[in-house]
Amino acid sequence: MLAHVFGYEREWPDQDLIGFSKEFDAPLTLAAYRSGVFPMPLASAPGDMGWWSPKQRGVLPLTALKVSRSLRRSATRYTTSVDQAFAAVVRRCADPAREGGWIDRDVVEVFTQLHAAGFVHSVEVWDDQDVLVGGLYGVSVGGLFAGESMFHDPERGRDASKVALVRLIEELAAGVPRHRLGLDRLLDVQWVTEHLASLGAVEVSRTRYLERLDRVLDAPGPRWPSPAQSRRAVELSALPAQLEGEHTTRGEHVA
């Protein structure tokens, strides 16, 4: 059920940033995601945490993932895992040299606590020399997965962040009938960038997002594999998405 820690949508300002606070900890952050809100520090106000709920929210329908031929070729070069190197993934995502970097020490601490509590998961991508070359992490509550950040090694990890996304979608879709994916799963990507749009991400209104969130929060969540048993190649044949060159009808719609 949708929480209302930040009040009701009708009370929010007509902008993406709906509030800010000095307080920032794991319980408040988890409650925020249940409210359709996520944290991101305010560059203009050091020490304050910004709380965001974009008017146009980015989501990636699981059946809409675009898997190109080049991505399929890249996927054969890598092995993936779940929660085997969470700290390393966050550290790479938080690299201060990255353009637009926003993940500070407080964010790392809070998300590490949520990871220990089972609410945050990472997906890792390894090359044939067992070097971490890509990954992502995000918040998992019921049927919601809120993606926070992803990275790839520009020298060794071509398409590695995309491969991490493929593995994530495999985990989210596992055991869910195709016709239930739009009802029981919601992959939140916050804002649609050109990169995410190329992978199938679309925008929905804030109101529509909150309606969908309210449905999925009470859905059974993914059965995340144990880290020790999670390492494998991606299984493209198991994806609910349409691969480039195939001509099947997709079953999930976003309105």
Side-chain angles (χ1 to χ4, degrees):
M1 180 179 294
L2 195 66
H4 296 286
V5 171
F6 292 83
Y8 292 90
E9 180 195 5
R10 62 178 178 270
E11 301 168 347
W12 294 351
D14 188 28
Q15 60 186 33
D16 292 357
L17 177 64
I18 67 161
F20 60 91
S21 68
K22 296 292 184 185
E23 180 184 0
F24 175 55
D25 57 23
L28 177 59
T29 298
L30 188 60
Y33 282 95
R34 294 181 180 274
S35 303
V37 178
F38 59 85
M40 184 176 291
L42 292 170
S44 60
D48 286 347
M49 178 55 70
W51 298 98
W52 306 78
S53 185
K55 293 176 60 181
Q56 293 296 315
R57 191 69 164 246
V59 300
L60 205 170
L62 302 193
T63 57
L65 175 68
K66 297 176 181 178
V67 182
S68 66
R69 291 186 177 90
S70 63
L71 176 53
R72 278 186 272 178
R73 288 193 296 270
S74 295
T76 63
R77 303 200 304 266
Y78 302 122
T79 302
T80 63
S81 61
V82 175
D83 291 331
Q84 283 194 351
F86 173 79
V89 169
V90 174
R91 184 169 60 252
R92 296 290 292 273
C93 289
D95 183 350
R98 296 183 70 184
E99 183 179 355
W102 56 271
I103 303 171
D104 61 19
R105 184 178 304 174
D106 291 339
V107 171
V108 171
E109 180 178 349
V110 164
F111 279 81
T112 299
Q113 292 173 11
L114 290 172
H115 171 67
F119 291 108
V120 170
H121 296 276
S122 62
V123 176
E124 301 87 25
V125 180
W126 312 85
D127 69 9
D128 58 3
Q129 297 182 43
D130 206 31
V131 174
L132 181 67
V133 295
L136 60 80
Y137 75 96
V139 178
S140 180
V141 183
L144 167 71
F145 188 90
E148 286 301 303
S149 187
M150 58 171 56
F151 84 94
H152 75 281
D153 186 309
E155 296 182 0
R156 305 178 63 113
R158 176 181 171 84
D159 286 339
S161 60
K162 296 179 183 179
V163 173
L165 183 62
V166 170
R167 176 64 189 270
L168 171 66
I169 289 178
E170 288 180 0
E171 296 297 337
L172 297 180
V176 182
R178 185 185 177 93
H179 71 277
R180 294 287 311 179
L181 287 172
L183 300 174
D184 293 345
R185 293 289 181 265
L186 177 58
L187 176 49
D188 171 15
V189 298
Q190 300 179 346
W191 288 284
V192 175
T193 63
E194 183 177 350
H195 172 67
L196 289 170
S198 73
L199 294 170
V202 297
E203 291 183 337
V204 298
S205 69
R206 182 157 68 192
T207 298
R208 176 60 174 149
Y209 174 83
L210 294 174
E211 290 172 349
R212 293 194 66 197
L213 177 63
D214 198 21
R215 288 202 306 263
V216 304
L217 283 174
D218 293 326
R223 298 182 63 180
W224 298 100
S226 67
Q229 299 177 340
S230 67
R231 191 170 289 216
R232 63 170 174 80
V234 295
E235 299 174 352
L236 294 174
S237 62
L239 278 174
Q242 177 179 322
L243 306 183
E244 182 180 284
E246 294 185 350
H247 300 284
T248 57
T249 302
R250 294 172 179 165
E252 182 179 355
H253 302 276
V254 177

